[in-house]
Amino acid sequence: MPDESERLRLIDGFARARRIRIDDLIAALDPDPNDVIYASGSITDGLGGPESDLDIFWLTSERRFAGLADRFDPERETQQRLQGFGILYVRIGAIEFDVEVRPLATVTALTASMTALDPASAESLHRNFRYIGRWDRADALDILHRLRIGAPLHNPAGFAAVAGSFSHRHFCHWYAQLNLEFAREAQKGIRRSLDDGDPENAFLKLCHLQDLLIDAALFLAGDSLDRWKWRLAKARRTLAPDWYADYLAVRLCRAGDIPLTAFVAHWAEAGAARQAALEQALDALAAASFARRA
């Protein structure tokens, strides 16, 4: 992933290409001095293209958040209400920015909940399988991933404090463990479908297994993702070439003359070997982390 200086350079390139000033956006939002505003998304993750936009996040006080409520757009209104955020649309020049506003305290509560988890503990994983604190694990992933790949636009010290309030290594190990747990279930499903004489269903489960293993490998490598659409680009820049080629062989069903049952059985066995290697790597990282704490 790009470091913060590179992310800021990418943001500057975005603004220059569109002939706008980020300072004009900040002026239009008029944040309080202690508010945190940062940009995130495919551009700051180094995956953006000419048509990519820049996602803006604004963390503010409960008082200011309540005062902005009348300005929030009704898009995803139910989601906004349930998850405690608001959406503003702000036009600067020819660009309309989507600004997601949250109370700062709710985000720091999430980072505290993330810190409290033990990614080396299967018991902790199962106890918190669906939620991290009060957050659904998918929503938590979205917020924490966007923090990891974000760059400050207002109050850089405040942004550094929030982004640094949880261990990024801890976060990556947790989501690697979660994907490996799902991978174990996918392996069972593949075997059941093959035993039932249903290779088509087994193949679909095999594709799911491959995605889970890729995601686990990305998290173990210190990367992260919150959208399936970035999986291939991240796999392309992170995985060893042979693994990337194998992934495409499965997902594009390059079976040739091999019967589908044999194709699925072969790649399920290969997937099990890669899964075992990932689990060993995760165990080693967990042991090293425990040694550091001791």
Side-chain angles (χ1 to χ4, degrees):
M1 298 191 310
D3 61 21
E4 186 174 295
S5 62
E6 175 64 10
R7 290 176 210 146
L8 290 169
R9 189 192 67 78
L10 291 167
I11 292 168
D12 183 63
F14 169 90
R16 288 177 181 274
R18 291 154 181 81
R19 299 183 179 183
I20 61 170
R21 296 173 67 252
I22 296 298
D23 286 348
D24 292 340
L25 171 63
I26 302 304
L29 295 175
D30 189 27
D32 295 334
N34 291 329
D35 289 356
V36 173
I37 298 179
Y38 59 99
S40 193
S42 60
I43 289 176
T44 59
D45 206 9
L47 301 173
E51 301 302 317
S52 298
D53 56 10
L54 196 61
D55 300 325
I56 308 298
F57 297 85
W58 181 4
L59 308 181
T60 188
S61 65
E62 295 277 4
R63 176 191 58 79
R64 185 68 188 277
F65 181 79
L68 291 167
D70 290 343
R71 295 172 51 193
F72 292 152
D73 192 88
E75 179 187 343
R76 293 185 284 151
E77 185 175 12
T78 300
Q79 183 185 9
Q80 290 184 54
R81 185 179 67 257
L82 291 174
Q83 296 182 11
F85 72 96
I87 297 173
L88 297 174
Y89 285 100
V90 180
R91 180 169 292 278
I92 303 297
I95 305 300
E96 185 174 64
F97 287 96
D98 176 339
V99 182
E100 186 173 296
V101 188
R102 292 183 185 273
L104 174 59
T106 64
V107 176
T108 55
L110 170 59
T111 62
S113 295
M114 183 76 247
T115 301
L117 299 179
D118 181 0
S121 166
E123 181 184 355
S124 179
L125 179 71
H126 293 150
R127 190 186 309 121
N128 301 280
F129 192 72
R130 172 59 65 180
Y131 291 94
I132 297 176
R134 73 174 185 84
W135 300 87
D136 180 89
R137 63 174 181 245
D139 298 328
L141 172 60
D142 184 67
I143 293 169
L144 296 174
H145 170 69
R146 296 308 178 102
L147 268 174
R148 295 190 75 224
I149 65 172
L153 304 181
H154 172 76
N155 186 10
F159 172 77
V162 177
S165 63
F166 68 102
S167 166
H168 291 213
R169 181 178 66 249
H170 194 107
F171 161 80
C172 288
H173 292 180
W174 177 266
Y175 279 96
Q177 181 79 277
L178 188 65
N179 278 287
L180 288 173
E181 181 73 13
F182 286 134
R184 296 178 197 110
E185 292 303 311
Q187 286 281 11
K188 294 177 186 177
I190 292 168
R191 289 193 293 272
R192 281 196 297 267
S193 292
L194 289 177
D195 289 345
D196 290 343
D198 190 353
E200 292 88 357
N201 204 0
F203 171 72
L204 294 179
K205 294 173 182 177
L206 175 66
C207 290
H208 182 50
L209 170 68
Q210 294 295 314
D211 290 343
L212 292 167
L213 294 178
I214 293 294
D215 290 357
L218 291 172
F219 279 106
L220 274 174
D223 207 337
S224 55
L225 73 161
D226 62 344
R227 301 285 189 276
W228 65 266
K229 64 182 179 180
W230 302 120
R231 181 180 294 119
L232 192 64
K234 284 177 173 277
R236 192 178 289 135
R237 78 181 184 186
T238 302
L239 293 183
D242 61 332
W243 190 350
Y244 180 69
D246 289 350
Y247 176 71
L248 291 183
V250 172
R251 294 301 266 117
L252 301 180
C253 196
R254 292 172 174 166
D257 295 330
I258 303 172
L260 185 58
T261 297
F263 178 83
V264 171
H266 168 77
W267 286 112
E269 182 178 352
R274 285 211 164 99
Q275 184 173 337
L278 289 170
E279 289 171 347
Q280 289 175 2
L282 185 62
D283 288 344
L285 289 169
S289 178
F290 179 81
R292 281 193 295 271
R293 291 198 301 270

